[in-house]
Amino acid sequence: MRIIVHTGKGGVGKTSISAATALRCAEMGLKTIVISTDTAHSLADSLEKSIGPEPVELYPNLWAQEVDARYSMDKYWGTFQKYMVALFSRQGVEDIVAEEVTILPGLEEGAHLLWINKYVEDGQFDVLIVDAAPTAETLRLLSLPDVTRWWFEKILTITRGASRILRPIGRLVNRGDAVPDSSAWDQVQNLFATLDKVRELLTQPEMSSIRLVVNPEKMVIKETQRTYTYLNLYGYATDAIVCNRIIPDEVTDPYFAMWKANQQENIAFIGEAFGELPLMRVPLFGQEVTGLDSLRRLAQALYGDGNPARKLFDGQTHRIETDADGTHTLIVPLPFADKQDMDMYRSRDEITLRVGPYRRNIVLPYALWDLEIADARFEQSTLRVQFRKDERVQKQRVR
C-alpha cells in the first residue's frame, strides 16, 4: 500500500491536487481512497459528490471520505470518554461541558490518524491519498504520537494506578461506576499504541510520501521551507514539491506580465530552496477545477502518463553511521533550520531536539545507551551528533 499526504499553506490547492491524484490512481486500476483531514472540508466540492464520515464509493476503484473528528472520537474513544463524562457530571458539570473537557489534548486531530491505521490493516486499498489540513495543523497532527507518548506514560499511568484504589472506595459510596475499569484504560493504551504505529507507517519512505503543495509566491514558499524542516525533524520523507497555479506561457495579456515575471523568479527560488527534490508544475486553469473532467485535466498536467503512486525521490530522514574507531554519528538533515533556534537534550535512550516551537524525540539504539555525546555540530543544514565512550556531557547545546 502507498500513502501520499498532500499538505501546504491554506488555499494553495491541496484538495484539487489530492482529488486529481486519487482519480488518476483509480483510473490506472489501483483501488484508491482519498480522505480529507481538514476541518474545513472541500473534498466533496472538488469531486462534486456527497461524502460522509465513512468511505463512499464514487467511481470504479475510487472511494472518498471527509473525516469527522467527533464521529471518529465516538468510534474509537467512546468507552473511556463515557466514564469520564459520568465522573464530571456527578461533580455538577453539565453533560455537554463534561463531554468537551474529557477529550485528551490533541486526540481530535489524532482521530484522523486512526483511519490511516485501519486502512493499512484492512488491506482493502492499494493507495491512500490524504488531503491534509494547512501546514501548522498537519505538523501538530504528525507530531502527535511523540507529544502524547510523554503525556500518556507520565500522566495516565499515575491515574490508572489511582483508579485501582478509588474504584473500591467508589463502590462503597455508590460511585464505582464513575471510575474507569481496566477495559477503559486498555482502550486508552491501545489508542496511543495505534498512534505510534501510524507514525511508524508514515516514516517508511517505501510506503509513505509527503508532497508539499505551493503557489509561486514568496510567502507561501517561505512557510513551506519551514514545513520541510519540521518534517525532516520528525522523520517524514518528502518526495516532491507541487507548484500549483502557474500562469501559462500562452497568456500574453500585458496585465499579467509583472505577475508572470514574479512567478518565474519564485519558481527559480523553489529550485534553489529545495535542492534535488522533484518540482512538479501545474498551470493556472481558466476555470475552477471541480468535477471529474476538470480533475482529469489537472492530473494529466501534473503527471502526464505517469503513475502518481510511485515514489518520486529517495529522501533522507535521520541515520546512524559508525566509524572504524567505534565512533557513532547520528545524522539529522534539517534544511532551513537556524542553529540559533536549536537545542538538544540527552537521556540514556533518546535524544530530544527542539527546532523553533517543535520538539522531536529520537529513540537511540541499544548500542548507544551507555555512550556519551562527544560532539554536536550543525553544518550545511545537517545536525551531526557523535557518540563515544569516556565523555561526561549530560546536556549540550548545539553549536
Side-chain angles (χ1 to χ4, degrees), residues 345-393:
Y345 302 91
R346 164 78 189 281
S347 65
R348 184 168 184 246
D349 60 347
E350 67 182 13
I351 290 284
T352 300
L353 299 178
R354 182 185 65 80
V355 180
Y358 296 95
R359 290 162 55 105
R360 164 82 193 282
N361 294 329
I362 298 177
V363 177
L364 299 175
Y366 179 77
L368 303 186
W369 285 11
D370 294 325
L371 304 183
E372 299 291 347
I373 295 177
D375 191 29
R377 297 179 183 273
F378 182 68
E379 298 174 339
Q380 299 179 340
S381 299
T382 301
L383 175 66
R384 304 178 66 89
V385 184
Q386 290 187 346
F387 295 83
R388 295 178 187 154
K389 295 180 180 180
D390 302 326
E391 296 288 344
R392 301 297 178 188
V393 182

Side-chain angles (χ1 to χ4, degrees), residues 55-114:
V56 177
E57 186 173 7
L58 306 179
Y59 187 75
N61 290 324
L62 179 61
W63 284 256
Q65 176 184 12
E66 290 182 335
V67 176
D68 181 277
R70 181 63 58 182
Y71 176 87
S72 301
M73 290 300 297
D74 291 341
K75 184 180 181 77
Y76 290 105
W77 183 242
T79 303
F80 182 79
Q81 193 181 16
K82 286 177 183 176
Y83 282 108
M84 298 302 290
V85 169
L87 178 62
F88 277 89
S89 297
R90 285 171 177 258
Q91 296 295 336
V93 179
E94 294 292 337
D95 287 356
I96 190 168
V97 177
E99 183 176 347
E100 292 296 327
V101 301
T102 54
I103 296 178
L104 298 182
L107 280 190
E108 283 201 70
E109 295 92 340
H112 301 135
L113 295 176
L114 300 175

Side-chain angles (χ1 to χ4, degrees), residues 154-221:
K154 301 298 189 295
I155 305 299
L156 287 185
T157 301
I158 295 173
T159 311
R160 183 175 186 176
S163 72
R164 295 193 182 100
I165 301 172
L166 293 175
R167 192 177 300 112
I169 299 174
R171 292 194 182 98
L172 292 176
V173 294
N174 296 321
R175 290 182 56 188
D177 59 335
V179 181
D181 62 16
S182 59
S183 65
W185 292 113
D186 289 342
Q187 186 186 41
V188 180
Q189 190 165 7
N190 291 336
L191 186 68
F192 283 99
T194 301
L195 292 178
D196 272 336
K197 181 179 178 181
V198 175
R199 186 209 183 312
E200 182 180 349
L201 294 173
L202 292 175
T203 54
Q204 295 178 15
E206 297 301 322
M207 172 176 280
S208 305
S209 296
I210 310 291
R211 293 179 184 170
L212 301 174
V213 182
V214 301
N215 295 152
E217 301 171 11
K218 189 61 66 72
M219 288 181 60
V220 175
I221 298 168

